[in-house]
Amino acid sequence: MGSLQASAAMSALMGELFPICRSITGDGVRHTLEIIGRHVALTVHEVPSGTRVLDWTVPKEWNIRDAWIKDLSGRRVVDFRENNLHVVNYSVPVRARMTLHDLKAHLFSLPDQPDWIPYRTSYYNESWGFCLAHHALEQLTDNEYEVCIDSTLKDGSLTYSECVIEGESADEVLFSCHVCHPSLCNDNLAGISLAVALIEHLKSLPRLRYSYRFLFIPGTIGSITWLAKNKERLPRVKHGLVITCVGHGEKFTYKKSRRGDAEIDQIVQHVLTHGDQAFEIQEFFPWGYDERQFCSPGFDLPVGCLMRAPHATFPEYHTSADNLDFVSAKTLSGSLACYRDVITVIEENHTYINQQPYGEPQLGKRGLYAAIGGDSKSAERQLTMLWLLNLTDGRHTLLEIAQRAGIPFAEALNAARVLVHHDLLKPVVTGQL
Amino acid sequence: MGSLQASAAMSALMGELFPICRSITGDGVRHTLEIIGRHVALTVHEVPSGTRVLDWTVPKEWNIRDAWIKDLSGRRVVDFRENNLHVVNYSVPVRARMTLHDLKAHLFSLPDQPDWIPYRTSYYNESWGFCLAHHALEQLTDNEYEVCIDSTLKDGSLTYSECVIEGESADEVLFSCHVCHPSLCNDNLAGISLAVALIEHLKSLPRLRYSYRFLFIPGTIGSITWLAKNKERLPRVKHGLVITCVGHGEKFTYKKSRRGDAEIDQIVQHVLTHGDQAFEIQEFFPWGYDERQFCSPGFDLPVGCLMRAPHATFPEYHTSADNLDFVSAKTLSGSLACYRDVITVIEENHTYINQQPYGEPQLGKRGLYAAIGGDSKSAERQLTMLWLLNLTDGRHTLLEIAQRAGIPFAEALNAARVLVHHDLLKPVVTGQL
Amino acid sequence: MGSLQASAAMSALMGELFPICRSITGDGVRHTLEIIGRHVALTVHEVPSGTRVLDWTVPKEWNIRDAWIKDLSGRRVVDFRENNLHVVNYSVPVRARMTLHDLKAHLFSLPDQPDWIPYRTSYYNESWGFCLAHHALEQLTDNEYEVCIDSTLKDGSLTYSECVIEGESADEVLFSCHVCHPSLCNDNLAGISLAVALIEHLKSLPRLRYSYRFLFIPGTIGSITWLAKNKERLPRVKHGLVITCVGHGEKFTYKKSRRGDAEIDQIVQHVLTHGDQAFEIQEFFPWGYDERQFCSPGFDLPVGCLMRAPHATFPEYHTSADNLDFVSAKTLSGSLACYRDVITVIEENHTYINQQPYGEPQLGKRGLYAAIGGDSKSAERQLTMLWLLNLTDGRHTLLEIAQRAGIPFAEALNAARVLVHHDLLKPVVTGQL
């Protein structure tokens, strides 16, 4: 699939998913996964409420049909059907008539951003509430209101899904994204769309060294649940990235894994360094997205987080302004390209061994000067070959050689292929060292 | 004892000790230790002259009753009774009449600081001399003078003392200060006073993890002697600081131990970083105070030197201007507070183990969100808990976690206590790892 | 030999060698080695054409008697006898009459430097050509020319030589320089002359700890050949330097060995740091001079390259402007002095052990204060002694101590000798640790 097609497909998927009211459990997630499943093969898991998962317990399942605040005339002054952010996510059912004064304890708005509806949740503390634009809040008069939240909160299950693309090795690369946010776009429909596009990219490749596992999970409890049910699998996770906030912002942000020097950390930094956009590298810190679970000390997986503007650093975060207009198709495509480049390095970052390590091999007799010509680009390729021959002593990966030589990985890879073709390099077969 | 009381007590002790003529041996030291012993329990040691201590030999004991230079009229133009700095410390006895010309070979002054009397010693080279203000020197006329140094230099002993406060462990923290300087204040009556106040602080604490050993010793030969007599004890010394020049100067100076990365080095740097005064960190160098003995390569103890303006960097150093006025009670109190903070970290810098290391523990169900409230200070405490939970894998001390999180040790300690209370952390018992 | 004599001798040798037409094989090399052999004892090796050396093959031997381009009047418009750079080095024999158009495919000039003749070679690709000043090229008219290259290219041998100065240990220090360049001076007659002067310096020393091996070899194929024939000897090579471009340029350039932290890398950086000229340190890169062979991954010898302006960074490089005028006797002498300083450190960089490591030894009783006096230079010497006593724990070489103390190696060495004399230090005998 070309980039234009991928971009259009990502935009279309975001548009299709946007209206659905998702939460960490319930039919919104199921509906979302059903739509994603039309594009890529998903395995859907249902984990019953009450299941112990690590230190947590799968909560009751939440569903909602409707919610509103009506004035005395019966007019809906706040209406869930207009925007699903209007209801505090996981609100318990309520049907009551109350004064504005009493109601206000359940109303949330953003005085600094009076046109935007905030996004609020109350997953683990049973309560109810409405979110609304501050302008709308100010227009409420000192009368009684009728409120209704037609929700259910009862035993059910938590739903998440996986998509696995099998490669030559059972070693895995893990990608995860959130499916729990309702009508919010950069956080994280953009991430879902990028994940789907990345799966399609991987399936289009002629061979894969690693197996790839994509998690479509609700935030926090989703990764907790997946980790609880996959402890034996975790040693196979060689690299991982959390996909989020990939649709808005000029520059990239990479938050390193807890290890700080994992191969994925080296890879992403390399790709960003040789990309054409600004970027920022963050040391690991124990909050943020699901990397906080993957990188908890008992697991300590090599999982970073590759994003654009990080969560909570842009004003639209967790408000109705994080909508379809907020995400730029061009930005999202650029994010996809970056993830693709990361996958290229993951797949091709082998360790090679120089087969003629004593002195410099005579490149001329192999036509490796002639094959290259005399322009300055060719001279660079020549130097790349010399770097590879000098550092392929088994103690440097191809990425490390590219870093040392100060060249993009792709150029090192091209030179490696030429040298392998001439029997001057051999890759170390994974598992042999 | 509150800080005001401690400050007054330190000033009073300095005032009481100031007039005494101390040296590396003799009754001045004994008298000094006797006064200190009224405040804290001391064990006094007498080591006979001639005793071999490491590469050195305990010298003869020096005592002095009086000394003067009289002009022809019998007037004392230089008088030991006015200031004990007037006599070169360890001067052999002399009684003679001599010309100014001959006398001048025994006179020392500071032309650049003509009002100040310099402080000179001749411990290991038998000679005699007088120190005087350069202005006074210039007023001497070209006549004969009668000189008298009524001293004794003969077999006796070297006197030093120790104060030990026993803690739960036989592992020790070592503090040392000089008791050999005569009427000099910042160097080192301030150090003696701070040591006494620190002992009183330690005795006021409900429990001590470590045992604490304070050395009140003469310079160089004192630490050499103590080391020679305590070789078996040295492996128990886990941390140490030399206390000197703590009464004057705006900023702190910390000279690292020879190891450079000992826990005490980390601790003092942390305390200074989170303090409210400027500071300078110096790498170890093999001269200065007694750290040069503790850090000789055969011992290599983890002993640094925490001071204000370092010796020889202020003009008053080793002159009569280093008097009671030169030391500021406020500065000395600030130094005491800094040493107290260092002790807090020494005592509390445990290694903790996360008891729920797989995924993030659910803080909400333990009331650890609610217990904290919603202000920004509380948010910081929340993040501190997350740092602790993430890094308590047994490979980081609490101090290292505080450093990584960029927070003061005290905040990390508070969070650790809360998490221990909720069975989420357990300290590693010393000796078990 | 004093520096003035050494300087004059180096200039004379360069003058004597300059006219000879050298190449990677042939009588020019033999003649050059014969002249060098009048100054220092050489062992000359002849390796037959066709011999396999590592991944390479010794080429046919090339010799040349004459070469010219004549115009229709019979006048030599390009004449090998005027400048041996006029012929592309390793040109096959040719005798032909051809148009200017056809001839031009074999002519090389430098349009940007129209007065200079470029230096070109074609060692491994049989062809022929002439090099000439661009001004001369432009004066050729559109007529026929007669061309002659009276060369031979046939089985013979590759010639190189070694000079070994035996020291107390069979461990070796390796120096190498090129003898393949024709009338070029900074690259590398200056290097040859410096090598000869260095050999004479080494022979004048009363004792040598190491054995020294100097290679006078053609570029690339020479080091390949030497390495191929000396594989068993290589573990004895403890330090090495490639000598090139030492006669021109204000500052020094040191290119580190592939190891990057070899003792030779520390030594040269130290010498340059405490020298009085600017310098630049380069990390290793796998092209340049013969260090690329010595530092190929199979050998990875501790060999750096100490030069002035590096090759290809000055416009005169590989042109007729790199002539006797281009090399400054003063610069070359300065380079020699630097190499001599490096040898001093190589020879004297022992590890010493403090014989009194417990506490500071009492220097006074050994007269080590008195021996030193009271000026500021003496105070520095005192501190140097304290540094040595503190760091001679067997884990620091004398060079590392000098580096830590921030003093020149020579000062550390002086202090070490005094302390050895007083039985306070003992050198670790090589091979004992």
Side-chain angles (χ1 to χ4, degrees), chain C residues 289-309:
Chain C
Y289 285 87
D290 281 336
E291 70 278 4
R292 65 203 279 186
Q293 308 304 333
F294 299 125
C295 297
S296 56
F299 298 125
D300 198 20
L301 296 178
V303 175
C305 183
L306 175 54
M307 53 202 152
R308 296 282 189 161

Side-chain angles (χ1 to χ4, degrees), chain A residues 20 111 227 266 361 431:
Chain A
I20 301 169
L227 284 162
Q266 296 175 37

Side-chain angles (χ1 to χ4, degrees), chain B residues 52 54-56 124 224 231 258 284-287 292-293 295-299, chain C residues 354 356-362 365-366 383 386-387 389-391 393 395 404:
Chain B
R52 287 297 310 260
L54 303 178
D55 188 54
W56 299 59
Y124 300 101
I224 295 274
K231 279 196 171 183
R258 180 179 185 271
F284 179 78
F285 48 87
W287 54 89
R292 64 201 280 184
Q293 308 305 334
C295 297
S296 56
F299 298 124
Chain C
N354 184 342
Q356 296 283 355
Y358 298 103
E360 214 170 273
Q362 193 178 6
K365 72 179 181 188
R366 294 173 175 87
L383 301 185
L386 293 176
W387 273 118
L389 289 166
N390 194 269
L391 293 177
D393 54 6
R395 293 184 291 118
R404 174 75 196 275

Side-chain angles (χ1 to χ4, degrees), chain C residues 28-68:
Chain C
V29 177
R30 288 188 193 97
H31 186 196
T32 298
L33 296 177
E34 185 263 322
I35 291 171
I36 297 171
R38 292 175 205 161
H39 299 273
V40 296
L42 295 185
T43 307
V44 177
H45 302 265
E46 297 280 352
V47 182
S49 301
T51 305
R52 287 297 309 260
V53 283
L54 305 178
D55 188 55
W56 300 59
T57 305
V58 172
K60 290 178 187 168
E61 179 177 330
W62 184 70
N63 282 292
I64 184 165
R65 273 175 299 267
D66 197 2
W68 40 260

Side-chain angles (χ1 to χ4, degrees), chain C residues 385-400:
Chain C
M385 284 192 200
L386 293 176
W387 273 118
L388 261 68
L389 289 166
N390 194 269
L391 293 177
T392 46
D393 54 6
R395 293 184 291 118
H396 303 87
T397 64
L398 189 57
L399 177 63
E400 287 164 348

Side-chain angles (χ1 to χ4, degrees), chain B residues 50-71:
Chain B
T51 305
R52 287 297 310 260
V53 283
L54 303 178
D55 188 54
W56 299 59
T57 304
V58 173
K60 291 176 184 168
E61 180 177 329
W62 184 71
N63 283 292
I64 184 165
R65 276 174 298 269
D66 198 0
W68 40 259
I69 301 174
K70 286 184 182 168
D71 63 17

